mmCIF file with all atom_site columns, all heavy atoms in Angstrom:
data_model
loop_
_atom_site.group_PDB
_atom_site.id
_atom_site.type_symbol
_atom_site.label_atom_id
_atom_site.label_alt_id
_atom_site.label_comp_id
_atom_site.label_asym_id
_atom_site.label_entity_id
_atom_site.label_seq_id
_atom_site.pdbx_PDB_ins_code
_atom_site.Cartn_x
_atom_site.Cartn_y
_atom_site.Cartn_z
_atom_site.occupancy
_atom_site.B_iso_or_equiv
_atom_site.pdbx_formal_charge
_atom_site.auth_seq_id
_atom_site.auth_comp_id
_atom_site.auth_asym_id
_atom_site.auth_atom_id
_atom_site.pdbx_PDB_model_num
ATOM 1  N N   . GLU A 1 521 ? -28.419 13.303 33.054 1.00 34.00 ? 543 GLU A N   1
ATOM 2  C CA  . GLU A 1 521 ? -28.647 12.279 33.902 1.00 34.00 ? 543 GLU A CA  1
ATOM 3  C C   . GLU A 1 521 ? -29.132 11.020 33.314 1.00 34.00 ? 543 GLU A C   1
ATOM 4  O O   . GLU A 1 521 ? -29.528 10.122 33.958 1.00 34.00 ? 543 GLU A O   1
ATOM 5  C CB  . GLU A 1 521 ? -29.463 12.675 35.107 1.00 34.00 ? 543 GLU A CB  1
ATOM 6  C CG  . GLU A 1 521 ? -28.800 13.861 35.958 1.00 34.00 ? 543 GLU A CG  1
ATOM 7  C CD  . GLU A 1 521 ? -29.682 14.177 37.163 1.00 34.00 ? 543 GLU A CD  1
ATOM 8  O OE1 . GLU A 1 521 ? -30.756 13.650 37.360 1.00 34.00 ? 543 GLU A OE1 1
ATOM 9  O OE2 . GLU A 1 521 ? -29.328 15.155 37.884 1.00 34.00 ? 543 GLU A OE2 1
ATOM 10 N N   . GLY A 1 522 ? -29.262 10.942 31.999 1.00 35.00 ? 544 GLY A N   1
ATOM 11 C CA  . GLY A 1 522 ? -29.565 9.686  31.419 1.00 35.00 ? 544 GLY A CA  1
ATOM 12 C C   . GLY A 1 522 ? -28.295 8.834  31.299 1.00 35.00 ? 544 GLY A C   1
ATOM 13 O O   . GLY A 1 522 ? -27.253 9.359  31.382 1.00 35.00 ? 544 GLY A O   1
ATOM 14 N N   . THR A 1 523 ? -28.534 7.570  31.261 1.00 36.00 ? 545 THR A N   1
ATOM 15 C CA  . THR A 1 523 ? -27.420 6.698  31.159 1.00 36.00 ? 545 THR A CA  1
ATOM 16 C C   . THR A 1 523 ? -27.491 5.874  29.937 1.00 36.00 ? 545 THR A C   1
ATOM 17 O O   . THR A 1 523 ? -28.615 5.442  29.506 1.00 36.00 ? 545 THR A O   1
ATOM 18 C CB  . THR A 1 523 ? -27.242 5.760  32.380 1.00 36.00 ? 545 THR A CB  1
ATOM 19 O OG1 . THR A 1 523 ? -28.426 4.980  32.450 1.00 36.00 ? 545 THR A OG1 1
ATOM 20 C CG2 . THR A 1 523 ? -26.966 6.572  33.648 1.00 36.00 ? 545 THR A CG2 1
ATOM 21 N N   . THR A 1 524 ? -26.415 5.580  29.270 1.00 36.00 ? 546 THR A N   1
ATOM 22 C CA  . THR A 1 524 ? -26.250 4.745  28.081 1.00 36.00 ? 546 THR A CA  1
ATOM 23 C C   . THR A 1 524 ? -25.237 3.666  28.299 1.00 36.00 ? 546 THR A C   1
ATOM 24 O O   . THR A 1 524 ? -24.669 3.673  29.390 1.00 36.00 ? 546 THR A O   1
ATOM 25 C CB  . THR A 1 524 ? -25.796 5.635  26.822 1.00 36.00 ? 546 THR A CB  1
ATOM 26 O OG1 . THR A 1 524 ? -24.491 5.994  27.069 1.00 36.00 ? 546 THR A OG1 1
ATOM 27 C CG2 . THR A 1 524 ? -26.669 6.909  26.672 1.00 36.00 ? 546 THR A CG2 1
ATOM 28 N N   . PRO A 1 525 ? -25.033 2.760  27.439 1.00 38.00 ? 547 PRO A N   1
ATOM 29 C CA  . PRO A 1 525 ? -24.019 1.735  27.615 1.00 38.00 ? 547 PRO A CA  1
ATOM 30 C C   . PRO A 1 525 ? -22.670 2.424  27.816 1.00 38.00 ? 547 PRO A C   1
ATOM 31 O O   . PRO A 1 525 ? -21.629 1.736  28.257 1.00 38.00 ? 547 PRO A O   1
ATOM 32 C CB  . PRO A 1 525 ? -23.975 0.940  26.286 1.00 38.00 ? 547 PRO A CB  1
ATOM 33 C CG  . PRO A 1 525 ? -25.433 1.018  25.865 1.00 38.00 ? 547 PRO A CG  1
ATOM 34 C CD  . PRO A 1 525 ? -25.862 2.376  26.256 1.00 38.00 ? 547 PRO A CD  1
ATOM 35 N N   . TYR A 1 526 ? -22.466 3.719  27.407 1.00 37.00 ? 548 TYR A N   1
ATOM 36 C CA  . TYR A 1 526 ? -21.204 4.397  27.618 1.00 37.00 ? 548 TYR A CA  1
ATOM 37 C C   . TYR A 1 526 ? -21.139 5.161  28.889 1.00 37.00 ? 548 TYR A C   1
ATOM 38 O O   . TYR A 1 526 ? -20.104 5.834  29.183 1.00 37.00 ? 548 TYR A O   1
ATOM 39 C CB  . TYR A 1 526 ? -20.968 5.404  26.491 1.00 37.00 ? 548 TYR A CB  1
ATOM 40 C CG  . TYR A 1 526 ? -20.983 4.752  25.142 1.00 37.00 ? 548 TYR A CG  1
ATOM 41 C CD1 . TYR A 1 526 ? -22.238 4.717  24.355 1.00 37.00 ? 548 TYR A CD1 1
ATOM 42 C CD2 . TYR A 1 526 ? -19.862 4.214  24.608 1.00 37.00 ? 548 TYR A CD2 1
ATOM 43 C CE1 . TYR A 1 526 ? -22.253 4.106  23.115 1.00 37.00 ? 548 TYR A CE1 1
ATOM 44 C CE2 . TYR A 1 526 ? -19.893 3.649  23.413 1.00 37.00 ? 548 TYR A CE2 1
ATOM 45 C CZ  . TYR A 1 526 ? -21.104 3.627  22.588 1.00 37.00 ? 548 TYR A CZ  1
ATOM 46 O OH  . TYR A 1 526 ? -21.032 3.042  21.385 1.00 37.00 ? 548 TYR A OH  1
ATOM 47 N N   . GLY A 1 527 ? -22.183 5.040  29.808 1.00 38.00 ? 549 GLY A N   1
ATOM 48 C CA  . GLY A 1 527 ? -22.112 5.694  31.123 1.00 38.00 ? 549 GLY A CA  1
ATOM 49 C C   . GLY A 1 527 ? -23.026 6.902  31.043 1.00 38.00 ? 549 GLY A C   1
ATOM 50 O O   . GLY A 1 527 ? -23.791 7.154  30.131 1.00 38.00 ? 549 GLY A O   1
ATOM 51 N N   . ALA A 1 528 ? -22.903 7.678  32.182 1.00 35.00 ? 550 ALA A N   1
ATOM 52 C CA  . ALA A 1 528 ? -23.828 8.843  32.214 1.00 35.00 ? 550 ALA A CA  1
ATOM 53 C C   . ALA A 1 528 ? -23.400 9.836  31.303 1.00 35.00 ? 550 ALA A C   1
ATOM 54 O O   . ALA A 1 528 ? -22.252 10.070 30.808 1.00 35.00 ? 550 ALA A O   1
ATOM 55 C CB  . ALA A 1 528 ? -23.534 9.497  33.693 1.00 35.00 ? 550 ALA A CB  1
ATOM 56 N N   . THR A 1 529 ? -24.408 10.535 30.725 1.00 34.00 ? 551 THR A N   1
ATOM 57 C CA  . THR A 1 529 ? -24.197 11.533 29.596 1.00 34.00 ? 551 THR A CA  1
ATOM 58 C C   . THR A 1 529 ? -25.003 12.753 29.970 1.00 34.00 ? 551 THR A C   1
ATOM 59 O O   . THR A 1 529 ? -26.015 13.067 29.415 1.00 34.00 ? 551 THR A O   1
ATOM 60 C CB  . THR A 1 529 ? -24.743 10.916 28.241 1.00 34.00 ? 551 THR A CB  1
ATOM 61 O OG1 . THR A 1 529 ? -26.065 10.492 28.521 1.00 34.00 ? 551 THR A OG1 1
ATOM 62 C CG2 . THR A 1 529 ? -23.932 9.703  27.871 1.00 34.00 ? 551 THR A CG2 1
ATOM 63 N N   . PRO A 1 530 ? -24.459 13.615 30.895 1.00 33.00 ? 552 PRO A N   1
ATOM 64 C CA  . PRO A 1 530 ? -25.150 14.914 31.194 1.00 33.00 ? 552 PRO A CA  1
ATOM 65 C C   . PRO A 1 530 ? -24.728 15.949 30.132 1.00 33.00 ? 552 PRO A C   1
ATOM 66 O O   . PRO A 1 530 ? -23.963 16.770 30.472 1.00 33.00 ? 552 PRO A O   1
ATOM 67 C CB  . PRO A 1 530 ? -24.569 15.236 32.567 1.00 33.00 ? 552 PRO A CB  1
ATOM 68 C CG  . PRO A 1 530 ? -23.130 14.534 32.563 1.00 33.00 ? 552 PRO A CG  1
ATOM 69 C CD  . PRO A 1 530 ? -23.296 13.414 31.674 1.00 33.00 ? 552 PRO A CD  1
ATOM 70 N N   . TYR A 1 531 ? -25.449 15.930 29.019 1.00 31.00 ? 553 TYR A N   1
ATOM 71 C CA  . TYR A 1 531 ? -25.097 16.823 27.983 1.00 31.00 ? 553 TYR A CA  1
ATOM 72 C C   . TYR A 1 531 ? -26.071 18.152 28.021 1.00 31.00 ? 553 TYR A C   1
ATOM 73 O O   . TYR A 1 531 ? -26.033 18.889 27.031 1.00 31.00 ? 553 TYR A O   1
ATOM 74 C CB  . TYR A 1 531 ? -25.414 16.125 26.542 1.00 31.00 ? 553 TYR A CB  1
ATOM 75 C CG  . TYR A 1 531 ? -24.390 15.036 26.339 1.00 31.00 ? 553 TYR A CG  1
ATOM 76 C CD1 . TYR A 1 531 ? -24.817 13.784 26.295 1.00 31.00 ? 553 TYR A CD1 1
ATOM 77 C CD2 . TYR A 1 531 ? -23.060 15.247 26.101 1.00 31.00 ? 553 TYR A CD2 1
ATOM 78 C CE1 . TYR A 1 531 ? -23.896 12.724 26.095 1.00 31.00 ? 553 TYR A CE1 1
ATOM 79 C CE2 . TYR A 1 531 ? -22.162 14.260 25.831 1.00 31.00 ? 553 TYR A CE2 1
ATOM 80 C CZ  . TYR A 1 531 ? -22.651 12.952 25.890 1.00 31.00 ? 553 TYR A CZ  1
ATOM 81 O OH  . TYR A 1 531 ? -21.785 12.026 25.612 1.00 31.00 ? 553 TYR A OH  1
ATOM 82 N N   . GLY A 1 532 ? -26.793 18.322 29.008 1.00 31.00 ? 554 GLY A N   1
ATOM 83 C CA  . GLY A 1 532 ? -27.768 19.368 28.988 1.00 31.00 ? 554 GLY A CA  1
ATOM 84 C C   . GLY A 1 532 ? -27.353 20.680 28.621 1.00 31.00 ? 554 GLY A C   1
ATOM 85 O O   . GLY A 1 532 ? -26.171 21.072 28.798 1.00 31.00 ? 554 GLY A O   1
#
Side-chain angles (χ1 to χ4, degrees):
E543 299 181 2
T545 57
T546 72
Y548 300 95
T551 55
Y553 295 109

